[in-house]
Amino acid sequence: MAEKAALDQWYCIENLADVPQGGSGNRLLGVDLAIGRAGKSISVSARGRQLPVRQRYGYLWTSLGEPAASDPPAIPEAEESDRRYVPCGAFTVRTSGLRIVENFLDMAHFPFVHTDILGSEPHTEVAHYDCEIRRDVDEVWATNCTFVQPRAALSAGGALKTDYMYRIATPFVTVLYKTCPMATDRWDVIGLFVQPLDPDRCRAHPVMFLIDDAARLADLIGFQQTIFLQDRIILENQRPVLLPLEPRAEIPTRADASSVAYRRWLKEKGLTYGTTLGEGASAA
């Protein structure tokens, strides 16, 4: 069961367009949810208790606890009028939700998992990048990340040295800023909202906010879904399924600086749901 540090977070649980009129079910942190919809009004309850609800970025958010923030993490770029909103579906994955966030941060797997898309041999080295826990906003950031990519985005015309920034806004919400082929002075923005169903099972909700007014929506979605489905094969075969937080449980390399910071940040928060430390945890 989830501890207070996990309960007191905002979680994305559904795309608003997929919430039917009337009643429907959902799940979060091992708890069954009931969603009710009448027109644009949506409610969420669990165990006979009404839960807080927010509608942000085209998604439904809720919490089983008492989040410190009044709203889900802000993504200012999502409000820019010239960006295309591209929701990419929901993927159920048999792994810890924290594993998915960590995989999202990992550039080292690009040439081997996303071959000839996000990476290729012999360009396998992850150049030095900067990573920090920003105490003023309580987020993990990785900056000055670069990688040579054969096809960094659907709009890319060829191989491109791509700049990245990673932002982990909450333990289960992460945002990627990457080189925009259509506007070199701006970033393409990709959000990954992870919904932990159980410690070892989750749903991932990827969404893009792009500067691209030419590509077909179906092609943009297909490009991102291809990448995520390649990741899912790896994620469902990782062992242990839960994220290890014990010292020396997994040996990091220089390329894993963001993972090291992320795990340290989780331990500081006391968040153990979906980790090997949380297997015996009880609800707060």
Side-chain angles (χ1 to χ4, degrees):
M1 294 184 287
E3 72 288 344
K4 181 174 173 57
L7 294 171
D8 290 347
Q9 305 287 336
W10 286 108
Y11 293 96
C12 169
I13 61 169
E14 199 67 82
N15 189 293
L16 289 170
D18 296 330
V19 179
Q21 295 293 323
S24 59
N26 212 295
R27 188 170 176 83
L28 177 65
L29 297 169
V31 176
D32 289 329
L33 308 180
I35 301 176
R37 181 168 195 167
K40 293 184 178 180
S41 176
I42 301 177
S43 63
V44 181
S45 61
R47 297 172 176 169
R49 176 171 65 96
Q50 289 296 311
L51 302 181
V53 169
R54 299 290 186 273
Q55 297 183 29
R56 295 290 186 276
Y57 320 123
Y59 290 88
L60 177 64
W61 299 72
T62 193
S63 176
L64 288 166
E66 299 177 352
S70 59
D71 290 299
I75 306 175
E77 293 82 4
E79 311 299 335
E80 294 174 353
S81 60
D82 63 340
R83 286 187 181 270
R84 292 186 70 178
Y85 165 65
V86 186
C88 299
F91 300 84
T92 300
V93 187
R94 293 190 175 277
T95 191
S96 164
L98 303 173
R99 281 285 200 191
I100 288 187
V101 173
E102 194 171 76
N103 177 80
F104 192 71
L105 307 174
D106 176 35
M107 292 181 286
H109 78 285
F110 287 171
F112 310 106
V113 178
H114 308 299
T115 307
D116 295 331
I117 303 175
L118 300 185
S120 63
E121 297 185 76
H123 306 291
T124 60
E125 181 180 2
V126 177
H128 172 80
Y129 60 92
D130 300 315
C131 190
E132 62 179 332
I133 301 174
R134 296 188 177 177
R135 302 294 179 181
D136 57 332
V137 291
D138 192 24
E139 297 181 348
V140 180
W141 280 75
T143 56
N144 298 315
C145 309
T146 61
F147 212 85
V148 176
Q149 300 188 319
R151 198 178 187 195
L154 184 65
S155 57
L160 182 68
K161 183 178 180 181
T162 306
D163 295 321
Y164 275 62
M165 291 194 300
Y166 291 96
R167 170 196 174 200
I168 310 174
T170 77
F172 293 92
V173 174
T174 184
V175 183
L176 167 64
Y177 305 85
K178 64 184 297 186
T179 298
C180 175
M182 306 290 283
T184 57
D185 59 337
R186 301 172 72 184
W187 299 93
D188 274 340
V189 178
I190 301 173
L192 184 64
F193 309 145
V194 180
Q195 174 188 357
L197 304 172
D198 297 291
D200 59 353
R201 193 170 63 98
C202 62
R203 293 173 80 209
H205 305 270
V207 58
M208 300 188 291
F209 306 99
L210 305 178
I211 305 297
D212 184 342
D213 58 3
R216 293 194 315 140
L217 182 63
D219 293 336
L220 292 169
I221 294 172
F223 180 82
Q224 192 63 25
Q225 287 184 344
T226 295
I227 292 171
F228 193 88
L229 291 172
Q230 290 172 338
D231 280 326
R232 185 165 71 174
I233 295 169
I234 303 302
L235 286 162
E236 292 192 334
N237 284 281
Q238 280 186 305
R239 296 295 181 272
V241 173
L242 304 182
L243 185 72
L245 289 185
E246 298 88 349
R248 296 180 295 278
E250 294 179 339
I251 301 173
T253 67
R254 185 188 67 181
D256 298 321
S258 58
S259 171
V260 171
Y262 178 52
R263 294 187 186 196
R264 183 169 71 248
W265 186 63
L266 293 175
K267 287 192 283 187
E268 289 178 1
K269 291 180 172 300
L271 194 145
T272 61
Y273 192 86
T275 78
T276 50
L277 294 181
E279 291 175 288
S282 60

